[in-house]
Amino acid sequence: MTLHFSDTAYLDIRSAWAVFQRISAWAAVLIVAAALLVGPLVEGATSPVWLAALQVAAAAVGFLGLVTFGRQVRFFWLPIAVLGIGLIQTCPLPGEFVKAISPASYHAWTFASDCLGQPLAPRLSIAPAATQLAIRQLFLTTLVFAITVELVRDHRKAAFLGWVLASIGVIVLAWGCVEWVTGRDVISPASAMRWPFGYKNPLVDPLRSAAFGRTQNLQVGGVSLSLPFWVLGDGFGPYLVSNHFGGCLELTIPVVFSLLWLKQRRQATALSLAGAGTGILAGLMATTAIAVLALGASARAATVGVLLGCTWVVWQRTTGKWRRLVGLVFCLELLGYVCLFALSAWAGFSPQVAETERTANMLDLIWTSIGGAQWRVSQWGVCWRMFMGAPVTGIGLGAYRFASPFYSDSEVVTAFAHADYFEFLAEGGLLGIAVLTIFLAQIWKPESIRTFTRDSVDNPLLAGAGGALVAFLPHGFVDWNLHIPANALLFAMISGLVVGLIDPKTSGRVFSKSIVLFTKFVICVITLIFCVGAIIGAFRYAKAATSLESMRHAVLCNMSPKPATPSVDRRALLLRALPSALEAARRPLSPVDTPVLIGLAYLYLSEGKPGLELRLAEEWFEQALAGTPLRLELVATINEIRLLIATSENSRNVEQGRSAR
């Protein structure tokens, strides 16, 4: 009886565990769906609070995925590899090792150490705090991808997520249509960022701007400071930048088009009027998206992307003699845009080619239709120079913003390279490329390619997701959509959807070797620990960033060329905001610009005159330089403050000497 009871209890436990796993799997799907729906509608989740919410949701999906699939998750190694890159880039290392691996990083830390007159522990990253934030975001993004691969092996979950993607595309497109037709923002939450400098803001997080601008000098008494004034985005739809609005449509409209087209094909077999109506609706959705992007948002790359994605869907879903024709149309579209981009870049770099009025007019038309090709190609060159300075491990993920002024000869400064792939090359180096190569080799197999080609004909979700990737991936050469948290999450989910649908046989593999089982167990435990750490880090960062908002406002009041408040009130604003800012600075995961912001507050409190406040400003600027050694604009300011204080002390000593005589 005892043996029978034990067997029964064991079976009951296994049955209960299986039910719990099914519940946790659906819970993960619902959390992903909620994050996907909300993220694009709140400025792409670029604000600290919504970014934290999105990261908590991603970490929760990772935790539930561990509970559901455990050691079966095939791509759990990918987020662990991301953590490994972050650990290598941010840990203090011996100077000779850093010099051999990353000469650029070594010289940056040596330069900062000489300027500050104190030793600094060299690291491979030239902005360790920014790298930590980037690693957390990339870790959670790859984790969502790994879990999605396993979730979509259940076709019910895959279909649910597919319609969630379609819903996102419809909502965002409708939002854009309303703004295009009415000519005004439906919601304008970013208006506060436009005060007091209009379309520029020196203290805004570059993630919430167009990520480019120009450096301007500020004068506070006898001290000057150079700061980049970031150009704010054009704010189309729910996004702060129209190109990111276009990136969202690239990732969703091909899915909408494919799902509606399948319904039309199925209903058309019954010769129903509804089938024809659904087909017309599919074409109307695609046409509307292209029109809104081209005429309303002026997002050229996204317009071409949606066109390519929808053409890809038609190509994959077409059979017989028309398939080859549609494939030729797709190739001609892609080739035509590449040629126009190349011509635009050539015209920009070689203005002497416009020798005749006819040629000049033609090149001007190409330049207008493509826009910014020369500048984007120059950004590729900046990234390449960064890579050559630190080819093995890169300058550090998230560190491009602080290194770009050092490697660029342009007056325009950029926080992101406007070229996701080249920026990854510069920040991750060969180490990051090696991880990416291993990942591509794992999914790019002849069997998977055959499955994708065969199943895309009858599986609208696979064809639509493939079209979304075809639409989105070329955009990464000329923009920075993958830095927008909501779009990065969409990309991770769609990539996981495609991989999970074309490689279903890998689910549930059983490894007999104990060493492999133990390794997978260790990976699961490490991932679980970092999921919890990511949740804690997201909350801490959001709290610190929120605490700094009053300080940003107070400093902007003092920086305003036409202050609306008296100097006494502006000083009171700074004094009221300082305690919360100092508390945020003491947190382990605070925004990278916190020391500079507090240094500016003390600088304005001192009015550029020698005293305790000016010394405190110097200390905070030194702390900022010690954390990001390539912030060359701080070096001149620190030297000016030192000179001003030394001159004041010498004058005081001379006066005391005269008094003593």
Side-chain angles (χ1 to χ4, degrees):
M1 283 297 288
T2 305
L3 180 62
H4 176 71
F5 176 78
S6 299
D7 289 345
T8 304
Y10 176 73
L11 292 175
D12 290 342
I13 292 173
R14 284 183 61 88
S15 177
W17 179 249
V19 173
F20 178 73
Q21 285 181 313
R22 287 196 293 271
I23 294 174
S24 63
W26 275 107
V29 170
L30 292 175
I31 292 174
V32 168
L36 292 174
L37 283 169
V38 173
L41 305 182
V42 287
E43 304 171 8
T46 53
S47 67
V49 174
W50 285 112
L51 173 61
L54 208 68
Q55 290 180 342
V56 169
V61 170
F63 179 83
L64 292 171
L66 281 168
V67 173
T68 305
F69 304 108
R71 295 178 304 217
Q72 295 179 359
V73 179
R74 186 172 177 232
F75 291 97
F76 257 156
W77 68 269
L78 189 57
I80 298 300
V82 169
L83 292 176
I85 293 175
L87 184 65
I88 292 171
Q89 290 184 338
T90 57
C91 282
L93 297 170
E96 292 302 319
F97 179 80
V98 175
K99 184 177 181 180
I101 298 296
S102 177
S105 301
Y106 175 79
H107 292 308
W109 288 103
T110 304
F111 170 78
S113 179
D114 294 340
C115 291
L116 298 175
Q118 62 184 23
L120 296 175
R123 294 171 170 85
L124 293 171
S125 170
I126 56 99
T131 299
Q132 291 175 0
L133 297 177
I135 287 295
R136 182 170 71 230
Q137 178 64 25
L138 187 56
F139 165 76
L140 293 172
T141 302
T142 52
L143 185 60
V144 169
F145 163 80
I147 299 301
T148 302
V149 170
E150 306 303 327
L151 288 173
V152 299
R153 300 190 195 284
D154 181 349
H155 292 290
R156 293 173 299 175
K157 297 182 179 69
F160 177 78
L161 289 175
W163 284 107
V164 168
L165 285 172
S167 302
I168 297 166
V170 172
I171 294 171
V172 173
L173 177 60
W175 193 322
C177 286
V178 171
E179 290 198 0
W180 179 33
V181 172
T182 61
R184 62 176 63 185
D185 292 336
V186 176
I187 298 176
S188 184
S191 57
M193 295 192 300
R194 302 183 184 276
W195 179 88
F197 296 102
Y199 68 94
K200 299 178 293 183
N201 192 322
L203 299 183
V204 70
D205 184 350
L207 188 66
R208 295 172 57 75
S209 72
F212 69 90
R214 293 180 183 272
T215 299
Q216 297 186 22
N217 291 324
L218 302 173
Q219 191 72 32
V220 183
V223 180
S224 62
L225 176 67
S226 297
L227 285 177
F229 278 60
W230 303 112
V231 175
L232 300 179
D234 46 3
F236 194 86
Y239 285 82
L240 296 174
V241 180
S242 59
N243 283 334
H244 304 152
F245 167 81
C248 179
L249 293 189
E250 286 173 330
L251 289 167
T252 53
I253 291 301
V255 178
V256 178
F257 179 71
S258 184
L259 291 176
L260 289 177
W261 191 25
L262 170 74
K263 190 174 182 180
Q264 179 269 335
R265 287 182 61 180
R266 287 177 175 174
Q267 292 177 342
T269 57
L271 300 178
S272 64
L273 185 61
T278 307
I280 294 173
L281 181 61
L284 183 63
M285 289 289 295
T287 304
T288 303
I290 292 171
V292 169
L293 288 170
L295 304 177
S298 298
R300 305 174 183 88
T303 303
V304 176
V306 172
L307 179 61
L308 286 173
C310 292
T311 306
W312 172 274
V313 171
V314 176
W315 182 18
Q316 297 304 306
R317 303 288 313 285
T318 304
T319 57
K321 60 183 180 180
W322 294 103
R323 181 178 177 85
R324 186 172 298 177
L325 177 62
V326 178
L328 179 62
V329 171
F330 173 82
C331 294
L332 290 176
E333 288 177 1
L334 182 60
L335 180 62
Y337 185 71
V338 171
C339 291
L340 286 176
F341 183 86
L343 276 174
S344 177
W346 176 57
F349 284 110
S350 304
Q352 66 272 17
V353 299
E355 296 178 354
T356 65
E357 182 178 355
R358 181 178 179 182
T359 305
N361 292 335
M362 181 189 69
L363 292 177
D364 183 65
L365 178 63
I366 293 174
W367 182 279
T368 304
S369 62
I370 300 299
Q374 175 196 5
W375 182 71
R376 283 171 166 80
V377 172
S378 69
Q379 291 292 291
W380 299 355
V382 172
C383 292
W384 180 254
R385 288 191 289 274
M386 290 183 188
F387 169 73
M388 295 304 294
V392 179
T393 57
I395 60 171
L397 296 175
Y400 174 89
R401 166 189 168 189
F402 304 101
S404 60
F406 186 77
Y407 288 94
S408 175
D409 54 2
S410 173
E411 295 180 356
V412 178
V413 293
T414 52
F416 305 106
H418 291 69
D420 282 328
Y421 313 133
F422 286 94
E423 184 173 340
F424 181 75
L425 175 68
E427 295 180 345
L430 294 176
L431 181 62
I433 296 300
V435 173
L436 182 62
T437 302
I438 295 172
F439 165 70
L440 292 176
Q442 191 174 1
I443 64 173
W444 196 265
K445 299 179 298 185
E447 181 184 357
S448 299
I449 297 173
R450 287 194 296 269
T451 302
F452 179 80
T453 305
R454 182 185 67 248
D455 293 353
S456 292
V457 177
D458 298 318
N459 188 337
L461 184 55
L462 180 58
L469 293 181
V470 168
F472 184 79
L473 288 174
H475 200 166
F477 286 100
V478 295
D479 223 321
W480 50 288
N481 266 293
L482 289 177
H483 288 84
I484 303 302
N487 286 0
L489 186 66
L490 278 169
F491 176 73
M493 205 282 291
I494 291 174
S495 301
L497 187 65
V498 171
V499 174
L501 290 176
I502 66 176
D503 196 13
K505 296 180 181 179
T506 57
S507 181
R509 283 182 177 175
V510 178
F511 293 85
S512 58
K513 294 182 179 180
S514 58
I515 184 73
V516 177
L517 291 174
F518 177 75
T519 302
K520 283 180 166 284
F521 173 76
V522 171
I523 289 176
C524 290
V525 172
I526 294 175
T527 306
L528 178 60
I529 293 172
F530 276 95
C531 283
V532 176
I535 293 175
I536 297 173
F539 277 119
R540 286 181 174 176
Y541 179 81
K543 188 173 182 179
T546 305
S547 301
L548 289 173
E549 288 304 312
S550 59
M551 177 57 75
R552 293 184 192 277
H553 177 76
V555 174
L556 281 174
C557 281
N558 283 267
M559 293 173 64
S560 174
K562 297 180 180 180
T565 54
S567 59
V568 176
D569 294 340
R570 283 182 274 134
R571 182 180 178 86
L573 283 175
L574 291 172
L575 292 174
R576 283 198 298 268
L578 262 175
S580 60
L582 293 173
E583 177 65 25
R586 284 191 286 268
R587 298 182 183 277
L589 295 172
S590 60
V592 182
D593 287 337
T594 302
V596 174
L597 194 59
I598 298 176
L600 280 170
Y602 279 119
L603 181 60
Y604 278 103
L605 285 173
S606 71
E607 298 180 353
K609 300 175 182 178
L612 176 61
E613 283 129 349
L614 192 60
R615 288 186 179 275
L616 290 172
E618 178 192 2
E619 291 179 5
W620 282 102
F621 287 143
E622 287 177 347
Q623 182 176 332
L625 183 61
T628 50
L630 277 185
R631 299 199 71 159
L632 305 182
E633 72 276 7
L634 294 178
V635 176
T637 301
I638 293 171
N639 290 334
E640 286 184 10
I641 293 175
R642 289 174 177 174
L643 179 61
L644 195 61
I645 293 174
T647 303
S648 175
E649 290 179 348
N650 290 337
S651 300
R652 189 183 304 114
N653 292 334
V654 170
E655 291 178 1
Q656 289 176 354
R658 289 175 179 174
S659 301
R661 287 197 297 268

